[in-house]
C-alpha cells in the first residue's frame, strides 16, 4: 500500500466541479432575482 503524503493529492477535478457548481449557483440566483424584480414591477 502506498504511503499517503498530506497535500500531494491531485484535486483538479474537484476544483473544476466546485467552480462549476458556484458558477451555476450564481446564475440561478441572478435569474431568480431578475424574475422576482420583473414580477414586482409588472404584476398588477
Amino acid at each position: 500500500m502506498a504511503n499517503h503524503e498530506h497535500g500531494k493529492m491531485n484535486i483538479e477535478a474537484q476544483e473544476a466541479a466546485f467552480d462549476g457548481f458556484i458558477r451555476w449557483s450564481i446564475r440561478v440566483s441572478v435569474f431568480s432575482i431578475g424574475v422576482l424584480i420583473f414580477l414586482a414591477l409588472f404584476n398588477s
Side-chain angles (χ1 to χ4, degrees):
M1 178 181 255
N3 291 333
H4 174 72
E5 293 182 33
H6 187 72
K8 298 290 183 180
M9 187 172 127
N10 184 2
I11 59 169
E12 291 177 10
Q14 289 87 350
E15 288 176 341
F18 181 74
D19 289 341
F21 172 75
I22 294 298
R23 189 176 300 118
W24 178 83
S25 299
I26 290 171
R27 289 179 182 171
V28 168
S29 299
V30 169
F31 177 76
S32 298
I33 291 169
V35 168
L36 290 174
I37 290 172
F38 176 81
L39 288 174
L41 292 174
F42 296 107
N43 191 14
S44 52

